[in-house]
Amino acid sequence: MSSAKRIIKSMTALFFGMGFLFAGNALIISSIGVILKHNGASSFAVGVVSACFFIGAMCGTIFSQKIISRIGHIRSFGLFGAIFGISAMLHSLSENLIFWAFLRFLIGICYYSLLMIIESWLNEKAKNAVRSRILAFYELVFYLSFGVGILIIAFDLDPHAVFIISAALILFSSLPLNLIKIKEPLLPKASEVSIPKVFDIAPLAIMTSFVAGLLINGFFSMASLFILLQNYDAKVVSYFMFCAIMGGFIAQMFIGVISDKMGRKIAIMLCASIGFATMLCYAFFTLHLYLQYVLAIFLGMGIFCLYALALARANDMLQDKGRAVELGRGVLFCYSLGSLLAPLILGVLMEYYGFRGFVWFYVILLGALILFALNKPNILNKKFKKNLGNAVIFND
């Protein structure tokens, strides 16, 4: 059995838990735009409520490490999962936008804390030579589960049913870790509460994680509005987003191997180029709905691998495994900062320019990422091992 398969098998319970978590998160995150628009909220209001999720995300990446270092990964997973599920259910109590914004803030803290637990766990177990393949499997689980959550929107359920189902899925996520025997990582050392030291991480990883946050969570927050502004309904929203998720799933089948064999820079530029070419089609042509479904697949292939590639690029520079949580927190902080800005920027652009504001947002960011990566060195595994030396983190 290969090293990658052996590592994946040893963490079966964690991957099962992820499946429930991502499906529940997909439903609660992606349905908000549809529900708010149905209630008469403006594009800007949708963006502001969505942004509160990412304010919580930034707080989670900064402060949750203390909790993880005190009670461990499994108990932390159960704690944040429980608060997440309760917050999802509380949406049913009121349609007040301020109340919903607060709940989104809590959900953001919990979800990104859970992501930090998962990713630090994976990075501690994975070696550099197979890291992209482990992270690619992680992304496969993410997109399959997220796709299931997205498809539930197509049933056009009552909002209360949406909140209950999403909460149930999230609460189920803790069960596998408590029912199936799994060895959790050693408790990380608690570091002082401060903004993560993002500039200690490779610049290409920082830029890629920031742009990934803008693109990926801009899509999850506002793609529903992008479709609704073209005068389509919630069912089309579900199918469009599902096609993009499937594009991410397809890309994960080969991008991890490309990344491990040819280097993270090449993989990042390849993904960004696919997304850039796709959005140029939206910018310059009037597209039939079914063609938009096809292009959504390519858009998903272009943007949904970027965060995993940023994480792999950053971890290539890490020698001290005890700093895995700190490093993951730094990358996640950049990602969550981009995620925070995305719905606010898109809310303004789409308020004034309609669905085309969404399109040009993607064209500009993907083009900028390609240009930024051009003059960065490509680090291959053999070269990396040969030149590793004694440094903990290298700048590129």
Side-chain angles (χ1 to χ4, degrees):
M1 184 182 295
S2 70
S3 177
K5 290 181 179 178
R6 188 163 55 248
I7 293 169
I8 290 169
K9 186 176 180 180
S10 70
M11 295 189 291
T12 301
L14 180 62
F15 285 114
F16 271 115
M18 287 182 207
F20 287 113
L21 174 67
F22 295 146
N25 181 65
L27 183 56
I28 190 69
I29 293 296
S30 303
S31 61
I32 289 296
V34 176
I35 295 171
L36 289 178
K37 199 64 180 174
H38 183 266
N39 292 343
S42 67
S43 298
F44 182 69
V46 174
V48 170
V49 172
S50 298
C52 289
F53 173 87
F54 301 111
I55 295 173
M58 293 178 68
C59 293
T61 59
I62 296 171
F63 300 115
S64 60
Q65 188 196 14
K66 273 200 169 183
I67 296 175
I68 299 170
S69 65
R70 287 180 180 176
I71 67 176
H73 289 70
I74 293 178
R75 292 172 66 191
S76 296
F77 195 102
L79 171 65
F80 290 119
I83 298 173
F84 192 167
I86 292 168
S87 299
M89 286 189 287
L90 289 178
H91 280 80
S92 296
L93 295 181
S94 171
E95 294 182 355
N96 182 277
L97 289 181
I98 297 176
F99 180 61
W100 277 31
F102 174 69
L103 293 177
R104 304 292 286 178
F105 173 76
L106 290 179
I107 288 174
I109 292 176
C110 294
Y111 181 63
Y112 274 73
S113 297
L114 289 165
L115 283 185
M116 196 169 76
I117 292 168
I118 291 168
E119 290 168 6
S120 64
W121 202 329
L122 293 177
N123 278 312
E124 181 176 299
K125 298 292 184 182
K127 298 177 182 178
N128 286 334
V130 297
R131 177 168 283 112
S132 274
R133 275 165 276 185
I134 300 298
L135 293 176
F137 185 80
Y138 160 55
E139 295 289 307
L140 286 177
V141 173
F142 174 83
Y143 290 117
L144 280 176
S145 305
F146 213 96
V148 171
I150 290 290
L151 283 179
I152 297 175
I153 299 174
F155 292 102
D156 202 17
L157 298 173
D158 179 86
H160 298 296
V162 170
F163 300 138
I164 294 299
I165 293 171
S166 62
L169 290 169
I170 293 161
L171 293 171
F172 271 127
S173 67
S174 297
L175 294 182
L177 290 175
N178 288 284
L179 294 176
I180 303 174
K181 186 177 180 180
I182 182 171
K183 184 179 179 181
E184 64 179 319
L186 297 174
L187 292 180
K189 295 179 181 178
S191 60
E192 63 182 51
V193 178
S194 62
I195 294 176
K197 300 174 182 177
V198 294
F199 292 105
D200 287 342
I201 305 171
L204 181 56
I206 293 174
M207 180 64 169
T208 304
S209 61
F210 179 66
V211 171
L214 286 164
L215 299 179
I216 295 172
N217 289 297
F219 182 87
F220 289 145
S221 301
M222 306 300 279
S224 57
L225 195 58
F226 170 67
I227 294 298
L228 294 173
L229 288 175
Q230 296 182 65
N231 298 316
Y232 296 114
D233 58 17
K235 185 176 291 187
V236 175
V237 169
S238 176
Y239 294 156
F240 177 83
M241 295 184 74
F242 179 77
C243 287
I245 295 296
M246 287 300 99
F249 173 79
I250 293 168
Q252 295 298 339
M253 293 181 175
F254 61 83
I255 201 66
V257 175
I258 291 175
S259 175
D260 283 336
K261 300 296 183 183
M262 301 180 65
R264 320 303 185 197
K265 171 187 170 178
I266 298 300
I268 289 169
M269 292 186 65
L270 174 63
C271 290
S273 297
I274 293 172
F276 181 75
T278 300
M279 296 313 288
L280 283 179
C281 294
Y282 278 99
F284 294 111
F285 301 101
T286 300
L287 303 170
H288 187 276
L289 177 59
Y290 291 111
L291 183 54
Q292 291 198 47
Y293 287 153
V294 174
L295 289 175
I297 295 174
F298 286 98
L299 178 61
M301 293 173 67
I303 68 174
F304 288 139
C305 296
L306 290 176
Y307 177 64
L309 291 171
L311 198 61
R313 173 81 175 192
N315 276 282
D316 279 348
M317 310 302 162
L318 182 68
Q319 182 180 5
D320 182 2
K321 291 293 184 180
R323 295 183 64 184
V325 171
E326 180 185 350
L327 179 66
R329 185 172 64 165
V331 176
L332 198 55
F333 179 84
C334 294
Y335 178 80
S336 60
L337 178 60
S339 301
L340 166 63
L341 296 175
L344 294 174
I345 297 171
L346 281 169
V348 173
L349 290 175
M350 297 172 78
E351 186 73 27
Y352 289 99
Y353 302 106
F355 71 92
R356 294 202 176 275
F358 182 91
V359 173
W360 284 107
F361 177 81
Y362 279 77
V363 170
I364 293 169
L365 286 173
L366 287 164
L369 179 58
I370 294 168
L371 292 175
F372 184 85
L374 278 175
N375 67 343
K376 298 300 176 185
N378 190 38
I379 299 173
L380 300 176
N381 283 318
K382 289 181 180 179
K383 181 180 178 181
F384 170 74
K385 289 178 180 178
K386 190 178 293 184
N387 299 314
L388 186 58
N390 296 317
V392 175
I393 296 179
F394 294 86
N395 287 325
D396 60 354

